[in-house]
Amino acid sequence: SIHAGVHLRYVDISSNKLSDLSPLSSLNYLLSLNASHNLLYTLDGLPSRPYMQVLNVEHNSIAQITTLDHPLLRMLNLNHNRLSTLSGLAKLKSLTLLEARNNQLSSTQGIEPSTLKELYLAENKIAQIGNMD
């Protein structure tokens, strides 16, 4: 059982057929999670991780992010999903890299650029760039 690995720091479960991340909910010390190339529709099964710094969920079917609450998250890869908005990122106060290429985004609304150093939004449907102060 993955629950026995509560001290796991780095997990790569990419290129599988996973649709739910809730079995990882006991991994409180997780620093990096690669769940790319799966069948994820939501990130709701991934509760707040106090130490997580890298989250890669590219090439899934995520259409909406309710709230991501990982205070130390620095890198977030959302490329190749079905996102139409980037709401739910407001609690990511340490984020320096946001990748959201090839989604369905129509604006930059929801992006909190105060800590961002790199922002990748190519191949979307963006018609409006919001305030990037």
Side-chain angles (χ1 to χ4, degrees), residues 1-9 11 21-30 45-52:
S1 167
I2 194 89
H3 296 290
V6 294
H7 295 290
L8 284 171
R9 302 289 193 273
V11 174
L21 295 177
S22 61
L24 304 178
S25 63
S26 64
L27 303 181
N28 291 324
Y29 300 101
L30 197 59
L46 190 64
S48 177
R49 298 282 66 121
Y51 306 108
M52 187 179 301

Side-chain angles (χ1 to χ4, degrees), residues 51-84:
Y51 306 108
M52 187 179 301
Q53 297 176 21
V54 177
L55 178 58
N56 182 350
V57 290
E58 70 177 329
H59 288 278
N60 278 284
S61 295
I62 300 166
Q64 180 181 1
I65 299 172
T66 48
T67 299
L68 285 179
D69 187 8
H70 311 297
L72 297 181
L73 193 70
R74 294 180 294 109
M75 300 171 57
L76 176 59
N77 187 337
L78 298 166
N79 292 336
H80 297 275
N81 276 286
R82 299 182 333 177
L83 294 165
S84 58

Side-chain angles (χ1 to χ4, degrees), residues 106-117:
S106 59
S107 77
T108 58
Q109 184 177 351
I111 297 174
E112 302 283 335
S114 61
T115 58
L116 282 177
K117 293 184 177 18

